[in-house]
Amino acid sequence: MLTTFVAQAQGLTRFDAKPGTIPADALWVDLIEPTQQEEQLVESALGIDVPTREEMKEIEASNRLYEESGALYMTITIVTHLETELPVSSQITFILAKDRLITNRYSDPLPFQRFIAYAERHPTVCGSAVSLLAGLVEAIVNRMADVLERVGADLDQLSSEVFAPPQKYRRSAKSVARDSRTILVRVGQNGDLTSKARESLVSLNRLLTFVQQSGAVTLQNDVRARLRTLSRDVLALSDHSSFLGTKATFLLEATLGMLNIEQNNIIKIFSVAAAVFLPPTLIASIYGMNFQLMPELEWLLGYPFAVGLMVVSAILPYFYFKRRGWL
């Protein structure tokens, strides 16, 4: 889909041009999952080369940030489907050419929708193509901040669940295993989301640095100040995402450690039970040998004596283990 926007007095306005044409005063040309005909139209009308989807996925800096024929090409990674359990990383290419902004994307993330709705009511944000770029980057950064804030709150809640005092509640082994599995899934999802957010922030930082250092674009003082502020915000969020990633790793290791402790407790119970019932088993085995010369067989109290001896031999190890703190 090809959409063009024109800057007017009331703000950014979507322009419905004739099929196969691009308005001469279009400030922003937005390509969303473009067809081959739409790519060719933009390339011929604006004199640029629109990267393909495969080229946008390249990770080398030379393929993501470069200048060609006076136009700046900048590709970033953005996280989409944040409301689902499986966030997806998608690439978006920004092209600054002849005071126009061209975007090529194969997703419709929420920051773009919010910025378009905001720019339609505020003409100050669409004074130039660089201003539009700064506004879009700012919307993406704000979205990343919201995501990291949500991840931090969820990790704090998981931390309180993992390190809850044992005397606070009593649960069965089955309940512990089920809860630990849920915690592991949540920690894994938060860790994956944090890593994707950090990847996006790194690409945004590279874009901001590239724009500010490029001589092909004239930056006004207010726009340059916005870009510098965004660079500081991106660096701060990158540090925070690193902290959250470390915390997610710590919670993952702590949860696995708790599972090992629970398993060791179960094994200890079986080991103590085997040790407690070993003496009674030995006594029962002796009296089950059916020897002819066994005095207790002819004794009237032989049976109660053997049963009592087995009970005593089971009780004594139990109290010994209890006193040593093994139970």
Side-chain angles (χ1 to χ4, degrees):
M1 182 174 63
L2 173 62
T3 307
T4 58
F5 297 90
V6 178
Q8 295 185 353
Q10 71 275 11
L12 198 65
T13 302
R14 191 187 304 267
F15 192 87
D16 296 328
K18 296 180 180 179
T21 61
I22 295 179
D25 56 347
L27 185 62
W28 178 14
V29 179
D30 188 21
L31 293 167
I32 305 177
E33 296 186 3
T35 62
Q36 185 176 3
Q37 291 76 14
E38 292 172 341
E39 289 184 0
Q40 293 175 353
L41 171 62
V42 173
E43 291 176 348
S44 60
L46 304 180
I48 61 173
D49 182 20
V50 178
T52 62
R53 190 169 190 175
E54 289 72 21
E55 294 173 344
M56 293 168 61
K57 293 181 179 180
E58 297 290 339
I59 62 175
E60 294 85 354
S62 59
N63 293 331
R64 286 191 166 225
L65 305 169
Y66 59 93
E67 180 180 348
E68 184 178 299
S69 301
L72 295 184
Y73 293 78
M74 299 158 288
T75 301
I76 65 170
T77 300
I78 189 172
V79 188
T80 59
H81 302 98
L82 296 175
E83 289 75 15
T84 64
E85 296 181 354
L86 296 174
V88 179
S89 294
S90 178
Q91 287 71 37
I92 297 178
T93 297
F94 298 91
I95 305 175
L96 288 175
K98 301 177 182 179
D99 199 25
R100 284 192 180 93
L101 175 64
I102 300 95
T103 55
N104 186 23
R105 52 197 177 102
Y106 291 85
S107 61
D108 191 17
L110 186 61
F112 272 71
Q113 302 175 18
R114 289 180 175 177
F115 176 76
I116 292 174
Y118 179 81
E120 288 176 346
R121 304 187 305 270
H122 298 81
T124 56
V125 300
C126 50
S128 63
V130 182
S131 297
L132 286 177
L133 175 64
L136 286 169
V137 172
E138 187 175 10
I140 296 173
V141 171
N142 291 336
R143 180 59 171 167
M144 290 295 101
D146 295 338
V147 170
L148 294 178
E149 182 179 0
R150 187 184 71 185
V151 170
D154 196 21
L155 289 178
D156 288 340
Q157 183 180 358
L158 287 172
S159 179
S160 63
E161 294 178 8
V162 171
F163 299 108
Q167 65 273 16
K168 186 176 181 180
Y169 49 83
R170 296 290 182 181
R171 297 179 298 171
S172 62
K174 185 176 180 180
S175 176
V176 170
R178 183 175 60 252
D179 294 345
S180 298
R181 180 179 177 84
T182 302
I183 291 175
L184 286 174
V185 170
R186 289 173 59 187
V187 170
Q189 290 175 347
N190 285 318
D192 181 63
L193 181 56
T194 302
S195 64
K196 285 183 170 60
R198 178 167 174 75
E199 180 186 7
S200 178
L201 291 170
V202 170
S203 64
L204 284 171
N205 185 45
R206 293 165 62 183
L207 179 147
L208 292 170
T209 303
F210 180 73
V211 172
Q212 295 178 74
Q213 294 179 352
S214 176
V217 177
T218 302
L219 300 178
Q220 299 178 354
N221 293 333
D222 58 338
V223 176
R224 187 178 296 275
R226 289 179 64 187
L227 294 178
R228 289 176 178 173
T229 302
L230 286 172
S231 297
R232 291 192 294 268
D233 293 342
V234 168
L235 288 176
L237 290 176
S238 296
D239 293 339
H240 187 57
S241 64
S242 299
F243 164 73
L244 292 177
T246 303
K247 187 173 183 179
T249 302
F250 170 70
L251 287 176
L252 178 62
E253 295 176 352
T255 305
L256 294 176
M258 295 293 183
L259 284 175
N260 290 332
I261 292 175
E262 293 293 336
Q263 291 176 353
N264 291 335
N265 289 335
I266 295 173
I267 295 175
K268 182 178 68 174
I269 291 174
F270 282 107
S271 301
V272 171
V276 168
F277 288 105
L278 182 60
T281 304
L282 177 62
I283 295 173
S285 300
I286 292 174
Y287 283 101
M289 292 180 180
N290 297 323
F291 288 119
Q292 293 183 357
L293 298 178
M294 187 173 288
E296 291 85 0
L297 296 179
E298 303 295 336
W299 186 23
L300 182 62
L301 299 177
Y303 175 73
F305 170 77
V307 173
L309 188 60
M310 286 188 288
V311 172
V312 172
S313 64
I315 293 176
L316 289 179
Y318 173 80
F319 282 106
Y320 177 76
F321 294 154
K322 191 76 171 180
R323 186 174 182 179
R324 294 297 299 269
W326 296 346
L327 292 177

Short mmCIF file of all heavy atoms in Angstrom, two decimals, residues 123-135 138 208 212 218-230 232:
data_model
loop_
_atom_site.label_atom_id
_atom_site.label_comp_id
_atom_site.label_asym_id
_atom_site.label_seq_id
_atom_site.Cartn_x
_atom_site.Cartn_y
_atom_site.Cartn_z
N PRO A 123 0.62 20.93 13.46
CA PRO A 123 1.44 21.25 12.28
C PRO A 123 2.92 21.48 12.60
O PRO A 123 3.76 21.43 11.69
CB PRO A 123 0.79 22.52 11.74
CG PRO A 123 0.09 23.13 12.92
CD PRO A 123 -0.36 21.99 13.76
N THR A 124 3.26 21.74 13.85
CA THR A 124 4.65 22.04 14.18
C THR A 124 5.57 20.84 14.00
O THR A 124 6.78 21.00 13.82
CB THR A 124 4.76 22.53 15.63
OG1 THR A 124 4.19 21.55 16.50
CG2 THR A 124 4.01 23.85 15.80
N VAL A 125 5.02 19.62 14.07
CA VAL A 125 5.87 18.42 13.97
C VAL A 125 6.13 18.02 12.53
O VAL A 125 6.90 17.08 12.30
CB VAL A 125 5.22 17.25 14.73
CG1 VAL A 125 5.04 17.59 16.18
CG2 VAL A 125 3.92 16.83 14.09
N CYS A 126 5.49 18.67 11.57
CA CYS A 126 5.66 18.28 10.17
C CYS A 126 6.16 19.45 9.35
O CYS A 126 5.71 19.69 8.24
CB CYS A 126 4.35 17.74 9.59
SG CYS A 126 2.91 18.79 9.86
N GLY A 127 7.10 20.20 9.91
CA GLY A 127 7.66 21.33 9.18
C GLY A 127 8.63 20.91 8.10
O GLY A 127 8.84 21.63 7.12
N SER A 128 9.27 19.76 8.28
CA SER A 128 10.23 19.26 7.30
C SER A 128 10.29 17.75 7.39
O SER A 128 9.72 17.14 8.31
CB SER A 128 11.62 19.87 7.54
OG SER A 128 12.11 19.47 8.81
N ALA A 129 11.00 17.16 6.44
CA ALA A 129 11.12 15.70 6.44
C ALA A 129 11.92 15.22 7.65
O ALA A 129 11.61 14.18 8.24
CB ALA A 129 11.80 15.25 5.15
N VAL A 130 12.94 16.00 8.05
CA VAL A 130 13.74 15.61 9.22
C VAL A 130 12.90 15.71 10.48
O VAL A 130 13.05 14.90 11.41
CB VAL A 130 15.00 16.49 9.32
CG1 VAL A 130 15.86 16.06 10.49
CG2 VAL A 130 15.80 16.42 8.03
N SER A 131 12.00 16.69 10.54
CA SER A 131 11.10 16.80 11.70
C SER A 131 10.19 15.59 11.79
O SER A 131 9.93 15.07 12.89
CB SER A 131 10.27 18.08 11.59
OG SER A 131 11.08 19.22 11.62
N LEU A 132 9.70 15.11 10.65
CA LEU A 132 8.88 13.90 10.65
C LEU A 132 9.69 12.70 11.13
O LEU A 132 9.19 11.88 11.92
CB LEU A 132 8.35 13.63 9.25
CG LEU A 132 7.22 14.53 8.73
CD1 LEU A 132 6.87 14.17 7.30
CD2 LEU A 132 5.99 14.42 9.61
N LEU A 133 10.93 12.61 10.67
CA LEU A 133 11.79 11.51 11.11
C LEU A 133 12.01 11.57 12.62
O LEU A 133 11.90 10.54 13.30
CB LEU A 133 13.13 11.58 10.38
CG LEU A 133 14.18 10.57 10.82
CD1 LEU A 133 13.72 9.14 10.53
CD2 LEU A 133 15.52 10.84 10.12
N ALA A 134 12.28 12.76 13.14
CA ALA A 134 12.48 12.90 14.58
C ALA A 134 11.22 12.54 15.35
O ALA A 134 11.28 11.90 16.41
CB ALA A 134 12.91 14.33 14.91
N GLY A 135 10.05 12.93 14.82
CA GLY A 135 8.80 12.59 15.49
C GLY A 135 8.53 11.09 15.51
O GLY A 135 8.09 10.54 16.52
N GLU A 138 10.91 9.49 17.94
CA GLU A 138 10.48 9.79 19.30
C GLU A 138 9.30 8.91 19.72
O GLU A 138 9.24 8.43 20.86
CB GLU A 138 10.09 11.26 19.40
CG GLU A 138 9.79 11.73 20.81
CD GLU A 138 9.53 13.22 20.87
OE1 GLU A 138 9.41 13.85 19.79
OE2 GLU A 138 9.46 13.76 21.99
N LEU A 208 20.34 7.68 14.77
CA LEU A 208 20.45 9.05 15.26
C LEU A 208 21.87 9.59 15.07
O LEU A 208 22.06 10.75 14.68
CB LEU A 208 20.03 9.12 16.73
CG LEU A 208 18.56 8.85 17.01
CD1 LEU A 208 18.32 8.70 18.51
CD2 LEU A 208 17.69 9.98 16.46
N GLN A 212 22.91 12.82 12.52
CA GLN A 212 23.58 14.01 13.06
C GLN A 212 24.96 14.23 12.45
O GLN A 212 25.43 15.36 12.35
CB GLN A 212 23.70 13.89 14.58
CG GLN A 212 22.36 13.89 15.29
CD GLN A 212 22.50 13.73 16.79
OE1 GLN A 212 22.90 14.66 17.50
NE2 GLN A 212 22.17 12.55 17.30
N THR A 218 20.48 19.16 6.10
CA THR A 218 20.62 20.38 6.90
C THR A 218 19.67 20.31 8.08
O THR A 218 18.45 20.20 7.91
CB THR A 218 20.31 21.63 6.05
OG1 THR A 218 21.18 21.66 4.92
CG2 THR A 218 20.48 22.88 6.88
N LEU A 219 20.24 20.34 9.27
CA LEU A 219 19.45 20.23 10.50
C LEU A 219 19.29 21.60 11.14
O LEU A 219 20.28 22.30 11.39
CB LEU A 219 20.13 19.27 11.49
CG LEU A 219 20.34 17.83 11.01
CD1 LEU A 219 21.06 17.03 12.08
CD2 LEU A 219 19.01 17.18 10.67
N GLN A 220 18.06 21.97 11.40
CA GLN A 220 17.81 23.19 12.15
C GLN A 220 18.15 22.98 13.62
O GLN A 220 18.27 21.87 14.11
CB GLN A 220 16.35 23.61 11.99
CG GLN A 220 15.95 23.90 10.55
CD GLN A 220 14.49 24.27 10.41
OE1 GLN A 220 13.72 24.21 11.38
NE2 GLN A 220 14.08 24.66 9.21
N ASN A 221 18.31 24.10 14.33
CA ASN A 221 18.75 24.01 15.73
C ASN A 221 17.76 23.23 16.59
O ASN A 221 18.17 22.42 17.44
CB ASN A 221 18.96 25.41 16.30
CG ASN A 221 20.12 26.13 15.64
OD1 ASN A 221 21.06 25.48 15.15
ND2 ASN A 221 20.08 27.45 15.60
N ASP A 222 16.46 23.46 16.38
CA ASP A 222 15.48 22.76 17.21
C ASP A 222 15.46 21.26 16.90
O ASP A 222 15.35 20.42 17.79
CB ASP A 222 14.09 23.36 17.01
CG ASP A 222 13.64 23.32 15.56
OD1 ASP A 222 14.52 23.23 14.67
OD2 ASP A 222 12.42 23.37 15.29
N VAL A 223 15.61 20.92 15.62
CA VAL A 223 15.63 19.51 15.25
C VAL A 223 16.90 18.84 15.77
O VAL A 223 16.87 17.70 16.27
CB VAL A 223 15.53 19.35 13.72
CG1 VAL A 223 15.66 17.88 13.32
CG2 VAL A 223 14.21 19.92 13.22
N ARG A 224 18.03 19.52 15.67
CA ARG A 224 19.28 18.96 16.19
C ARG A 224 19.18 18.73 17.69
O ARG A 224 19.67 17.72 18.21
CB ARG A 224 20.44 19.90 15.86
CG ARG A 224 21.79 19.33 16.20
CD ARG A 224 22.89 20.30 15.79
NE ARG A 224 22.91 20.50 14.36
CZ ARG A 224 23.56 19.71 13.51
NH1 ARG A 224 24.23 18.66 13.99
NH2 ARG A 224 23.55 19.96 12.23
N ALA A 225 18.54 19.67 18.40
CA ALA A 225 18.38 19.50 19.85
C ALA A 225 17.49 18.30 20.16
O ALA A 225 17.76 17.54 21.11
CB ALA A 225 17.80 20.77 20.45
N ARG A 226 16.44 18.11 19.36
CA ARG A 226 15.57 16.94 19.57
C ARG A 226 16.32 15.65 19.33
O ARG A 226 16.18 14.68 20.10
CB ARG A 226 14.36 17.02 18.64
CG ARG A 226 13.34 18.10 18.98
CD ARG A 226 12.22 18.11 17.97
NE ARG A 226 11.45 16.85 17.99
CZ ARG A 226 10.50 16.57 17.10
NH1 ARG A 226 10.24 17.42 16.10
NH2 ARG A 226 9.85 15.43 17.18
N LEU A 227 17.14 15.62 18.31
CA LEU A 227 17.90 14.40 18.01
C LEU A 227 18.91 14.10 19.11
O LEU A 227 19.13 12.93 19.46
CB LEU A 227 18.61 14.55 16.66
CG LEU A 227 17.70 14.65 15.42
CD1 LEU A 227 18.52 14.84 14.17
CD2 LEU A 227 16.80 13.42 15.29
N ARG A 228 19.54 15.15 19.66
CA ARG A 228 20.48 14.93 20.76
C ARG A 228 19.75 14.40 21.99
O ARG A 228 20.25 13.50 22.67
CB ARG A 228 21.20 16.23 21.09
CG ARG A 228 22.21 16.68 20.03
CD ARG A 228 22.80 18.02 20.38
NE ARG A 228 23.80 18.43 19.38
CZ ARG A 228 24.38 19.63 19.36
NH1 ARG A 228 24.08 20.52 20.30
NH2 ARG A 228 25.26 19.92 18.42
N THR A 229 18.59 14.95 22.27
CA THR A 229 17.80 14.46 23.41
C THR A 229 17.39 13.01 23.20
O THR A 229 17.45 12.18 24.12
CB THR A 229 16.56 15.34 23.61
OG1 THR A 229 16.95 16.69 23.82
CG2 THR A 229 15.74 14.86 24.80
N LEU A 230 16.99 12.68 21.97
CA LEU A 230 16.62 11.30 21.68
C LEU A 230 17.81 10.36 21.83
O LEU A 230 17.66 9.23 22.30
CB LEU A 230 16.05 11.21 20.26
CG LEU A 230 14.64 11.77 20.06
CD1 LEU A 230 14.28 11.79 18.57
CD2 LEU A 230 13.62 10.96 20.84
N ARG A 232 20.31 10.68 23.91
CA ARG A 232 20.51 10.45 25.34
C ARG A 232 19.45 9.50 25.89
O ARG A 232 19.75 8.63 26.72
CB ARG A 232 20.50 11.78 26.10
CG ARG A 232 21.72 12.66 25.82
CD ARG A 232 21.80 13.80 26.81
NE ARG A 232 20.69 14.73 26.66
CZ ARG A 232 20.73 15.82 25.89
NH1 ARG A 232 21.83 16.11 25.20
NH2 ARG A 232 19.69 16.62 25.80
#
